[in-house]
Amino acid sequence: ILAEESEDELPPREERAAARLSEQDVARGNKEGAAPEETEHNGQREGEETEPDQTPVLSNKPRKKKKKRKTKKTAAVEVLEDNDLEDLDSLLEKIEDSNGLSQQSQGGIISDSRPLLYVEHRNLNPENELKRYFGARAVLGDQRPRQRQRQYVRSTWLTAPKNTWPRYSKTGIAMQLLDTRRGVQHFTFEHHRDYQQVQFKFLDAVESMDPNNIVLLLQMNPYHVDSLLQLSDVCRMQEDQEMARDLIERALYSLECTFHPVFSLTSGTCRLDYRRPENRAFFLALFKHLMFLEKRGCPRTALEFCKLILSLDPENDPLCVLLLIDFLALRAREYTFLTRMFQEWESHRNLSQLPNFAFSVPLAYFFLSQQEQRPELERSQARERSARLIQLALVMFPSVLTPLLDHCSVQPDARVSSHPFFGLNAQISQPPALNQLTALYVGRTHALWKDPAVMAWLETNVHEVLHMVDARDPLVEESEHKRKMRYQSAPRNIYRHVILSEMKEATAALPLEVTSQPVMGFDPLPPLDSIISYTRPERTNHPSNESTLSLFFRSLLPNFNLQGDVRHDGEEEAGAGQDLNQGVNRLMAAMRDMLANIQFQEPPRDDNPEGDGDWD
């Protein structure tokens, strides 16, 4: 009762903090002169601390006042819940700032003292981002669970389980810790024997080219991950986006329930090897989930999932999320994170050689220079960096300008359109791999360049680049040599990223060796150096030993087998004399079944000129 009464009478958080500080000062200064009558709530706590023998007397007061205050609580509880939910993120940010998580760097841009790929749990929930945009009442509505009606569900960070999902049970997947090297832990998923049998059935269902077989498999195994991924692609092709997203979330929930106790999403020191087929489902489910989040309008949450994918294998980057992370950072207005990533990784990853980083990083500096709350010195430094980097990007990748202006519906001036440096020759002469990267970047981020202020800034720097070209700056010739030597062929992870992104501009530029082979949604372009832990058993078919007549009847009747079941070595000689008779009997039975099922249609009569239908 005391706990419920204290919840009813709680003042706002700022008043509670001030009241606690005043209580401590009063208790330290003059305990004897403490007045319990100052406020009802504070007086009750002071009375409990100074006079413990009066607690039975004080505990009777809430019982008398509870009936009076109950009506007030029901009227104001909704407003209090909404305010608490809306202020949660802002309070957390204030606490982080007070703990000194941000510090001033030498260049004047605020940098974070935490690791670059640090993942925050609260940023993995898209509802938190939607609450910041629209408020808690608009997001949750009447769906807020009450404490008494809440059922026990397993706490997860990636997704929240839904009541419409089937009841979860162990699927046969487990995560094991392989080894720990230099503070980095390497994990892997493992498939038990029962899950392997389900996986074989799934491969048979995929080969049948019938999605209904996958649906039947999911009815028996509702948390089979590869079936969920493949069926999600089918639903997305049928424009059922809600069901496609729900299946991906169910796959993530199934995988998260099998995490190793030591596996951490936030530390950035846990690794998964994409060469193992068991680990690929987790990468693909995370990637598809962040794509749905970005389309849903949650770029900050999508950025957090992108950081998570990159932290699982930052050296190899099997899904090449480096081609996507800059776009998500710009959309989420996380300009400081993008500039920090460029500063820390440029020396060993050469991010400036990717067109997306070459153009997105100066755009981020430009947006930082437009923020009026920053100091003037910091804004001027960001302005200078943005001008220098965008000029280097235009010199290195001149073929980006014309498609970017076309997508933005902007007509360049006469000097730019007539100059050969940015003309059609720049797009024709570039290697195919570079054409894929530029098409991917322009198709994905052109909406961020439509701002009139951005276009004015871009126009100024384009003219500066033309001055450099006309003056025969050695940097122009050096960049042209780099373009011809590099970008001859794209690695396999870039092709995999283009396929998963489904950008029409980039998909059209894929080479023939990629588009000619079948691509499965549950494992697109598997690595050539895969680490196979178990293999699919071969089917027991021996077509080479069958005669032409047997193959003919098998095409008519798939269950027909002239040779019968395969015998063991000891029984083969003993039953050799009966093989011919049994084969003839099966052949005659098959012919009788075939003839019994043949039906002839009568020709149309003369008295019925229209006829019942066409002849088959």
Side-chain angles (χ1 to χ4, degrees):
I1 296 176
L2 282 174
E4 293 181 358
E5 179 63 22
S6 61
E7 290 180 359
D8 297 344
E9 298 178 2
L10 281 181
R13 299 185 178 183
E14 293 79 3
E15 297 180 10
R16 276 185 276 165
R20 289 172 184 172
L21 291 175
S22 62
E23 284 181 9
Q24 294 176 0
D25 295 338
V26 172
R28 291 175 183 175
N30 47 357
K31 293 183 180 180
E32 297 178 357
E37 293 81 13
E38 290 179 359
T39 57
E40 185 177 346
H41 182 68
N42 295 337
Q44 181 180 348
R45 290 194 175 185
E46 292 176 2
E48 291 175 357
E49 294 176 359
T50 55
E51 299 179 7
D53 55 344
Q54 295 181 2
T55 51
V57 180
L58 294 175
S59 62
N60 293 329
K61 293 182 180 180
R63 296 181 182 178
K64 298 178 182 179
K65 296 181 180 180
K66 181 166 183 165
K67 294 183 179 179
K68 299 179 182 179
R69 297 180 179 271
K70 193 168 185 179
T71 57
K72 298 181 181 179
K73 178 181 178 181
T74 56
V77 65
E78 298 292 336
V79 180
L80 288 175
E81 289 181 355
D82 291 340
N83 294 335
D84 291 342
L85 289 172
E86 292 175 358
D87 295 340
L88 179 60
D89 294 322
S90 60
L91 290 175
L92 288 174
E93 292 176 358
K94 292 179 181 179
I95 293 174
E96 291 176 355
D97 294 339
S98 63
N99 290 337
L101 294 177
S102 306
Q103 62 182 3
Q104 197 80 8
S105 64
Q106 296 179 358
I109 305 297
I110 295 179
S111 61
D112 203 338
S113 60
R114 294 173 298 189
L116 179 65
L117 299 180
Y118 177 79
V119 177
E120 296 183 73
H121 280 147
R122 63 188 180 94
N123 289 331
L124 293 175
N125 188 358
E127 289 188 356
N128 294 335
E129 185 174 2
L130 293 175
K131 289 173 189 175
R132 291 196 293 267
Y133 297 152
F134 308 108
R137 181 178 294 275
V139 176
L140 298 178
D142 297 332
Q143 298 179 358
R144 272 192 300 271
R146 301 297 180 184
Q147 188 68 27
R148 297 178 181 177
Q149 299 176 358
R150 187 178 302 171
Q151 300 178 356
Y152 173 75
V153 292
R154 184 166 183 169
S155 177
T156 54
W157 292 110
L158 299 179
T159 56
K162 300 179 181 179
N163 297 328
T164 57
W165 291 356
R167 184 178 180 86
Y168 177 80
S169 59
K170 291 186 177 180
T171 58
I173 304 180
M175 178 182 280
Q176 299 295 332
L177 175 62
L178 296 179
D179 58 354
T180 302
R181 298 190 298 268
R182 298 178 181 178
V184 177
Q185 299 169 329
H186 296 265
F187 295 87
T188 183
F189 287 98
E190 291 184 352
H191 293 173
H192 296 165
R193 186 177 299 274
D194 295 339
Y195 194 89
Q196 294 179 11
Q197 299 300 323
V198 179
Q199 188 74 10
F200 299 151
K201 295 179 182 178
F202 164 73
L203 296 177
D204 294 338
V206 171
E207 291 180 355
S208 68
M209 305 297 291
D210 187 2
N212 294 323
N213 294 331
I214 302 179
V215 174
L216 294 176
L217 184 63
L218 277 176
Q219 290 179 357
M220 301 298 296
N221 306 275
Y223 286 95
H224 182 255
V225 180
D226 286 347
S227 298
L228 294 171
L229 296 178
Q230 188 71 22
L231 192 60
S232 174
D233 290 343
V234 175
C235 294
R236 186 169 43 81
M237 294 177 184
Q238 297 176 353
E239 302 298 331
D240 191 356
Q241 302 292 335
E242 188 66 27
M243 178 58 68
R245 188 181 68 186
D246 186 80
L247 293 173
I248 294 297
E249 292 179 358
R250 199 199 302 182
L252 281 177
Y253 177 73
S254 175
L255 291 171
E256 188 175 1
C257 290
T258 63
F259 279 176
H260 192 275
V262 187
F263 186 80
S264 173
L265 295 172
T266 61
S267 64
T269 59
C270 298
R271 302 287 185 265
L272 287 174
D273 194 348
Y274 192 81
R275 295 177 299 173
R276 298 180 180 271
E278 297 87 350
N279 298 336
R280 296 171 194 167
F282 188 54
F283 283 89
L284 295 172
L286 289 174
F287 188 90
K288 294 175 185 290
H289 185 57
L290 77 86
M291 295 300 291
F292 280 118
L293 289 173
E294 192 273 328
K295 294 178 182 178
R296 191 182 174 187
C298 301
R300 183 64 185 88
T301 310
L303 175 62
E304 210 70 12
F305 275 92
C306 192
K307 291 161 58 177
L308 174 59
I309 296 175
L310 189 58
S311 68
L312 294 176
D313 194 355
E315 291 80 13
N316 300 315
D317 192 12
L319 300 185
C320 206
V321 293
L322 282 177
L323 300 178
L324 175 66
I325 195 169
D326 62 303
F327 167 68
L328 296 176
L330 290 175
R331 280 215 50 199
R333 299 181 180 179
E334 293 290 331
Y335 310 127
T336 306
F337 166 77
L338 182 57
T339 55
R340 179 192 174 192
M341 184 176 191
F342 181 77
Q343 293 173 1
E344 294 184 6
W345 284 27
E346 169 62 17
S347 59
H348 65 282
R349 298 296 291 268
N350 293 326
L351 296 181
S352 60
Q353 301 305 307
L354 295 174
N356 58 313
F357 271 92
F359 281 87
S360 294
V361 172
L363 185 60
Y365 276 118
F366 173 76
F367 286 138
L368 287 174
S369 67
Q370 300 297 310
Q371 295 179 353
E372 298 180 354
Q373 68 271 19
R374 294 185 177 274
E376 184 60 31
L377 177 61
E378 183 179 333
R379 293 175 61 187
S380 63
Q381 291 177 351
R383 196 177 301 112
E384 293 175 359
R385 291 182 182 179
S386 65
R388 186 182 73 255
L389 291 176
I390 192 62
Q391 292 175 16
L392 292 176
L394 290 170
V395 170
M396 186 66 191
F397 307 105
S399 61
V400 176
L401 180 63
T402 302
L404 182 61
L405 296 179
D406 291 341
H407 279 75
C408 297
S409 302
V410 175
Q411 182 68 28
D413 56 13
R415 185 189 177 193
V416 176
S417 58
S418 61
H419 202 284
F421 186 73
F422 292 114
L424 185 60
N425 188 27
Q427 303 180 33
I428 297 176
S429 61
Q430 68 178 0
L434 183 57
N435 188 20
Q436 297 163 13
L437 295 177
T438 56
L440 184 67
Y441 176 73
V442 172
R444 176 175 283 159
T445 62
H446 63 88
L448 300 174
W449 294 81
K450 291 184 177 181
D451 189 359
V454 175
M455 276 297 165
W457 164 73
L458 179 63
E459 181 182 6
T460 304
N461 290 281
V462 166
H463 286 287
E464 291 293 332
V465 171
L466 291 181
H467 285 303
M468 296 171 59
V469 175
D470 294 339
R472 297 185 181 277
D473 193 312
L475 181 62
V476 178
E477 184 178 356
E478 180 183 353
S479 301
E480 183 179 0
H481 179 69
K482 289 181 180 179
R483 287 197 304 272
K484 292 181 180 180
M485 296 299 295
R486 303 171 183 175
Y487 312 106
Q488 295 299 322
S489 61
R492 200 171 179 85
N493 59 343
I494 292 183
Y495 293 148
R496 194 179 296 122
H497 177 87
V498 171
I499 293 174
L500 291 173
S501 300
E502 296 183 351
M503 299 293 299
K504 296 180 181 179
E505 297 84 357
T507 306
L510 287 174
L512 183 61
E513 61 268 15
V514 176
T515 57
S516 60
Q517 56 180 323
V519 178
M520 298 298 177
F522 66 95
D523 191 8
L525 295 181
L528 300 178
D529 55 346
S530 300
I531 302 176
I532 306 298
S533 59
Y534 65 94
T535 57
R536 181 183 178 187
E538 298 181 358
R539 297 183 179 181
T540 57
N541 290 332
H542 306 281
S544 59
N545 298 330
E546 297 183 4
S547 62
T548 306
L549 185 62
S550 177
L551 293 175
F552 170 71
F553 283 105
R554 183 180 294 277
S555 64
L556 298 176
L557 303 171
N559 295 327
F560 171 72
N561 185 8
L562 180 63
Q563 296 179 348
D565 299 333
V566 179
R567 291 186 173 87
H568 299 286
D569 295 338
E571 301 176 357
E572 187 173 358
E573 296 181 357
Q578 302 178 358
D579 285 344
L580 181 60
N581 293 331
Q582 292 179 358
V584 172
N585 292 334
R586 291 193 185 94
L587 177 60
M588 296 301 296
M591 293 183 64
R592 283 195 297 268
D593 293 339
M594 183 182 66
L595 294 175
N597 293 328
I598 295 178
Q599 297 180 0
F600 298 96
Q601 184 175 0
E602 296 182 0
R605 299 179 182 178
D606 295 337
D607 55 354
N608 187 10
E610 297 180 357
D612 296 332
D614 297 335
W615 284 31
D616 292 336

